[in-house]
Amino acid sequence: MLASLPLAYLILMAAAATFVFSFAMAKWIPGRKSRIVFPAVSVACCLGMILAGQLQYQHWSPQHMLVQYSFGWVGLTVGLFPSRKLMHQYAEEINRGVKREKYDVPKRYTMFAVMTVIAMSFVASLLS
């Protein structure tokens, strides 16, 4: 369904997902680097997904991979929402120069992030 849309709409959808993710991460993780790093990593992941889709035995089209990327990236943003305060706290400590041996993240935060990415990827597969 969604993969049959014109490529321009799918690129717009991927750009919107990248913008939402980058905006959220820049807000949750203070610092100048986050405004540059997260959009660059997002674009690299998108291009990597398209390349990985082409290398698969089934040869997933770029349209399918753009749908997967968009839904997966929105799922990741939603999944990281509960841990935003913890990420903010750790980022501020790192900016002040405080180094910890281990940055503890509760398992419920990790499981929520993993489950939302899996659920959104499943929905993307159904809709594409």
Side-chain angles (χ1 to χ4, degrees):
M1 260 192 304
L2 284 177
S4 64
L5 287 173
L7 186 61
Y9 290 135
L10 297 175
I11 291 173
L12 234 120
M13 192 167 72
T18 300
F19 174 76
V20 167
F21 176 76
S22 299
F23 180 77
M25 294 309 285
K27 187 98 167 142
W28 299 339
I29 299 177
R32 195 177 289 213
K33 290 180 187 176
S34 66
R35 290 188 176 96
I36 298 168
V37 170
F38 288 115
V41 167
S42 297
V43 170
C45 287
C46 183
L47 295 175
M49 282 183 72
I50 291 171
L51 180 64
Q54 292 296 311
L55 297 176
Q56 295 294 316
Y57 177 72
Q58 302 92 331
H59 295 294
W60 289 84
S61 70
Q63 289 86 354
H64 282 95
M65 297 313 288
L66 283 171
V67 171
Q68 283 285 353
Y69 168 80
S70 300
F71 276 75
W73 231 233
V74 169
L76 182 62
T77 306
V78 171
L80 290 176
F81 185 77
S83 61
R84 71 191 183 282
K85 292 179 183 174
L86 191 60
M87 288 190 300
H88 188 80
Q89 175 190 350
Y90 288 159
E92 283 183 342
E93 287 179 5
I94 291 169
N95 287 341
R96 284 193 312 256
V98 177
K99 301 284 184 194
R100 291 185 180 196
E101 284 262 336
K102 186 176 179 185
Y103 292 96
D104 292 322
V105 177
K107 288 189 188 246
R108 66 180 182 268
Y109 291 163
T110 305
M111 288 305 297
F112 184 72
V114 168
M115 294 311 247
T116 55
V117 171
I118 289 172
M120 290 297 282
S121 296
F122 182 70
V123 169
S125 295
L126 289 176
L127 291 177
S128 66

